[in-house]
Amino acid sequence: PQQARVVEGFKGLRNLFQELFESKADKEILVFGLNEILANENVTNFMSFYHSVRIKNNIQLKLLLNKDSEKIIKRKHPQSYYKKANIKYLNKDFPTGTFIFADHVISIIVEKNATAFDIKSKQNSETYKKFFNEIWKN
């Protein structure tokens, strides 16, 4: 069944990803478009939690970022975050942080706080996975 929900705040994001990763619905998460939000201190703190839960649950990560994000990651994010991860840096700007996991496509916007739009739809997630993999190959 298709479902949609809005999650607000970093605490809400933590709960969402913990729930998804512990469901063991998939062994890989695809992510693109985090870009400059990676420099946000609240995002850095969230990423520490996110990666610890991801690694604990043995979930692989494929991450597509723009070239400018590489400097932010090296400066603000420990290498330990990126265990079981493959990262590609591209000369592309992506519109927002998008996470694709199992039947979920989650778009995250960070302004003063974080808001996530979680759409659960097998058809939608398959379309996003195909899009992601096409970019990954090229």
Side-chain angles (χ1 to χ4, degrees):
Q2 298 175 354
Q3 296 175 335
R5 63 180 162 170
V6 177
V7 176
E8 295 189 62
F10 286 98
K11 184 176 180 180
L13 283 178
R14 284 184 182 94
N15 292 339
L16 171 63
F17 281 101
Q18 185 154 4
E19 171 191 317
L20 290 176
F21 289 166
E22 289 179 355
S23 74
K24 307 223 188 289
D26 207 341
K27 288 292 181 190
E28 181 177 63
I29 186 164
L30 310 174
V31 181
F32 63 87
L34 297 172
N35 306 332
E36 70 278 347
I37 71 167
L38 290 168
N40 180 303
E41 201 62 40
N42 291 320
V43 172
T44 301
N45 294 335
F46 167 73
M47 287 300 184
S48 174
F49 165 82
Y50 163 86
H51 287 295
S52 68
V53 174
R54 180 185 63 78
I55 291 165
K56 181 181 99 179
N57 286 285
N58 201 31
I59 295 169
Q60 301 290 322
L61 168 67
K62 280 188 178 174
L63 185 58
L64 289 170
L65 298 172
N66 70 16
K67 290 265 187 203
D68 295 338
S69 301
E70 187 171 12
K71 295 175 198 144
I72 297 169
I73 283 186
K74 287 182 177 176
R75 192 176 74 244
K76 296 195 67 109
H77 296 245
Q79 277 303 113
S80 62
Y81 286 8
Y82 299 98
K83 288 180 184 172
K84 300 183 184 201
N86 292 309
I87 304 172
K88 285 192 177 183
Y89 297 98
L90 306 173
N91 289 319
K92 284 187 182 291
D93 283 324
F94 298 100
T96 186
T98 303
F99 295 70
I100 308 153
F101 183 73
D103 290 348
H104 295 262
V105 176
I106 303 160
S107 294
I108 297 177
I109 298 167
V110 177
E111 290 178 356
K112 288 183 180 180
N113 206 347
T115 304
F117 303 90
D118 174 20
I119 299 172
K120 182 181 179 193
S121 162
K122 184 173 181 138
Q123 181 180 357
N124 190 48
S125 70
E126 290 302 320
T127 301
Y128 269 87
K129 287 175 187 176
K130 184 178 176 183
F131 171 75
F132 182 96
N133 288 319
E134 287 296 318
I135 294 172
W136 186 267
K137 287 180 200 173
N138 297 324

